């Protein structure tokens, strides 16, 4: 895979056992046509010697912020200007925290602050450290600031435990660098992919003036749609009634009822590579909505409801389904119900949120997600919906690519 003949990649290696894989990454980047300069943190040097990177990169290795060999002794500025892409692989929990806080006490962190090049992090750490809310919050913050993230993978770890936290394979990092290189046609992890989405509530008419609906504002779905666009996807957003402005650069198909949403999705799905069901679709609709306003004649009023079609289940049941991501809004047993939806409906991924509590979920500015797929899960810590949506899209792109 050729990246570019002129791409300058600055690779920051931080301290973790996965540092032993970084020399192979350097080799692969060079094979792909990149010039690679390596920066090592002090902890990284405990795992791999700088001489190894010097040999594989064919360049001196940079370890000190105050470097007498650098022009004007400002190595971080020179490297920051030189780099077309800055890659941090492996990115330790500590380094992600320092990046989030904006520290600049060593060469690696100062370089990340000083550069205008895209920064790509490939986290690698023990799965509990990865799942810790502090690490997840740091990553959400970084992603919301425009830092790109690839991985981690789930599986057996060097510590003997199993879970998410393994450094992704060099090929995946190479693909991510490729999408960020100068002159890339469309930057981003979903370049050229058609993403079909649903968002917002549905209205099920009782009569011409009243509806059955729910508290969905559409904010989560619209944020996910924007993040997919920012990742280079071509997005079709099937939206129930919301008060939100239509996001730019994507096609919005406006619907009102669950039946209309079903029809709009089915009309588009054959061309979609990814389907994300963020909408809060009514599970029931009126058997027979009244033609005229229902008058207040009786003490009680009984409405007869029938189930709506499950859009998500119908998409997943297609012979050649797109990569299908469902949401799950639950008030209890979040992971248990999310996993049941994943396997019950045959989905590729479920993003589950707790609803019914203040500050997150329906009609809130922030949210918090537990994302599950077969063989893995990741917590996306509480963050503004825009930042969270970027983290979710990064994860969807990784799993979509991993499915092949
Ligand atoms: O819109 P906001 O105010 O920002 O709030 C965001 C949100 C809380 C609505 C969102 O994060 C969310 O959880 N959306 C899914 C809500 C929901 O209906 O969850 P559910 O557990 O009832 O449904 C499971 C999945 O099936 C969802 O992906 C839903 O879109 C889908 N579904 C449900 C019923 C149906 N008839 N067709 C469907 O496709």
């Amino acid at each position: 895979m050729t990246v570019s003949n002129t791409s300058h990649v600055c690779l920051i290696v931080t301290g973790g056992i996965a540092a032993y894989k970084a020399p192979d990454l350097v080799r692969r980047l060079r094979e792909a046509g990149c010039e690679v300069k390596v920066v090592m943190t002090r902890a990284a040097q405990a795992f791999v010697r700088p001489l190894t990177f010097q040999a594989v990169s064919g360049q001196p290795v940079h370890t000190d912020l105050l470097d007498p060999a650098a022009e004007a002794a400002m190595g971080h500025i020179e490297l920051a200007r030189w780099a077309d892409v800055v890659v941090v692989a492996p990115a330790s929990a500590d380094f992600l925290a320092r990046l989030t806080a904006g520290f600049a006490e060593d060469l690696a962190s100062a370089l990340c602050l000083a550069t205008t090049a895209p920064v790509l992090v490939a986290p690698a750490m023990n799965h509990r450290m990865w799942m810790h809310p502090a690490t997840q919050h740091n990553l959400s913050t970084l992603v919301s600031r425009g830092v790109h993230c690839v991985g981690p993978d789930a599986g057996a770890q060097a510590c003997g435990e199993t879970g998410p936290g393994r450094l992704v394979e060099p090929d995946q990092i190479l693909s991510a660098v490729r999408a960020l290189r100068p002159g890339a046609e469309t930057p981003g992890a979903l370049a050229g992919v058609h993403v079909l989405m649903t968002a917002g509530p549905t209205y099920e008419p009782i009569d011409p003036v009243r509806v059955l609906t729910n508290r969905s504002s559409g904010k989560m779905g619209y944020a996910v749609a924007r993040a997919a666009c920012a990742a280079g996807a071509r997005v079709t957003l099937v939206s129930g009634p919301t008060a939100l402005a239509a996001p730019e650069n994507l096609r919005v198909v406006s619907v009102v009822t669950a039946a209309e949403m079903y029809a709009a999705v089915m009309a588009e799905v054959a061309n979609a590579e990814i389907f994300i069901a963020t909408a809060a679709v009514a599970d029931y609709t009126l058997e027979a909505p009244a033609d005229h306003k229902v008058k207040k004649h009786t003490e009680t009023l009984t409405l007869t409801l029938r189930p709506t079609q499950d859009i998500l289940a119908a998409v997943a049941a297609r012979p050649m389904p797109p990569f299908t991501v469902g949401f799950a809004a639950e008030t209890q047993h979040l992971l248990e119900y999310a996993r049941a939806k994943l396997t019950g409906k045959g989905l590729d991924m479920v993003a589950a949120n707790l609803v019914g509590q203040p500050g997150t979920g329906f009609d809130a500015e922030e949210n918090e997600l537990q994302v599950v797929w077969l063989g893995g899960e990741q917590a996306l810590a509480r963050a503004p919906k825009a930042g969270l949506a970027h983290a979710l899209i990064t994860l969807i792109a990784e799993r979509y690519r991993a499915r092949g």
Side-chain angles (χ1 to χ4, degrees):
M1 182 194 317
T2 300
V3 174
S4 157
N5 289 333
T6 54
S7 285
H8 290 170
V9 177
C10 195
L11 173 65
I12 296 173
V13 184
T14 73
I17 184 63
Y20 83 89
K21 294 181 178 171
D24 188 37
L25 174 61
V26 175
R27 192 178 57 78
R28 302 295 295 277
L29 285 165
R30 291 192 72 197
E31 281 171 4
C34 298
E35 206 177 318
V36 185
K37 291 190 178 181
V38 177
V39 171
M40 298 183 77
T41 62
R42 195 190 320 201
Q45 294 167 58
F47 291 91
V48 187
R49 302 290 300 151
L51 201 58
T52 308
F53 286 105
Q54 187 174 327
V56 290
S57 69
Q59 305 261 8
V61 172
H62 305 263
T63 53
D64 293 312
L65 181 57
L66 305 174
D67 179 4
E71 189 186 322
M74 288 188 286
H76 59 301
I77 303 295
E78 286 175 27
L79 287 167
R81 288 182 186 147
W82 177 85
D84 293 321
V85 181
V86 174
V87 180
V88 189
S92 65
D94 178 70
F95 192 75
L96 292 177
R98 284 192 284 140
L99 206 55
T100 308
F103 285 172
E105 89 285 14
D106 68 355
L107 177 60
S109 46
L111 165 60
C112 290
L113 277 190
T115 193
T116 54
V119 176
L120 172 72
V121 295
M125 64 198 73
N126 167 271
H127 67 106
R128 288 203 177 80
M129 293 171 74
W130 170 249
M131 299 293 277
H132 194 285
T135 305
Q136 291 300 314
H137 191 266
N138 289 339
L139 193 76
S140 292
T141 305
L142 290 171
V143 169
S144 69
R145 286 182 199 154
V147 169
H148 304 266
C149 178
V150 56
D153 267 346
Q157 301 204 283
C159 55
E161 297 177 6
T162 302
R166 286 162 57 100
L167 185 68
V168 292
E169 293 303 317
D171 263 352
Q172 272 177 270
I173 300 177
L174 205 54
S175 301
V177 171
R178 190 167 175 253
L180 296 173
R181 75 195 193 276
E185 276 170 24
T186 318
L190 290 179
V193 175
H194 181 201
V195 174
L196 175 63
M197 290 191 51
T198 63
T202 58
Y203 284 2
E204 306 307 315
I206 296 171
D207 64 20
V209 297
R210 301 179 180 100
V211 295
L212 281 181
T213 188
N214 58 66
R215 295 178 188 278
S216 171
S217 63
K219 287 176 194 164
M220 190 70 233
Y222 279 47
V224 174
R226 284 200 175 88
C229 266
R234 186 163 57 85
V235 178
T236 303
L237 175 63
V238 179
S239 175
T242 75
L244 303 175
E248 287 170 10
N249 303 329
L250 58 85
R251 193 159 77 86
V252 179
V253 180
S254 296
V255 297
V256 175
T257 64
E260 287 172 13
M261 189 172 272
Y262 179 89
V265 167
M266 290 307 148
E268 300 282 342
V269 69
N271 301 317
E273 284 135 316
I274 297 178
F275 175 64
I276 309 173
T278 322
V281 189
D283 288 326
Y284 290 89
T285 190
L286 264 84
E287 179 74 62
D291 291 335
H292 298 284
K293 187 178 171 195
V294 176
K295 306 303 284 180
K296 199 166 60 172
H297 290 314
T298 52
E299 275 299 302
T300 60
L301 176 68
T302 303
L303 300 176
T304 305
L305 306 179
R306 62 172 167 77
T308 57
Q309 282 168 296
D310 191 315
I311 304 167
L312 181 61
V315 168
R318 286 174 63 83
M320 299 271 285
F323 185 89
T324 304
V325 183
F327 266 64
E330 308 292 351
T331 52
Q332 58 178 348
H333 309 306
L334 189 62
L335 270 175
E336 191 187 324
Y337 288 158
R339 288 218 167 273
K341 278 195 170 110
L342 183 76
T343 49
K345 293 189 184 182
L347 308 178
D348 292 294
M349 192 181 255
V350 171
N353 41 198
L354 269 181
V355 292
Q357 41 190 20
T360 60
F362 283 93
D363 200 18
E365 297 307 317
E366 297 190 339
N367 207 4
E368 185 175 344
L369 295 171
Q370 291 277 350
V371 187
V372 298
W373 59 92
L374 281 182
E377 63 186 52
Q378 187 166 320
L380 301 180
R382 180 169 173 164
K385 284 179 176 171
L388 198 66
H390 280 284
L392 178 64
I393 284 295
T394 302
L395 197 54
I396 289 173
E398 281 166 28
R399 303 315 312 165
Y400 167 67
R401 302 277 177 213
R403 191 182 76 162

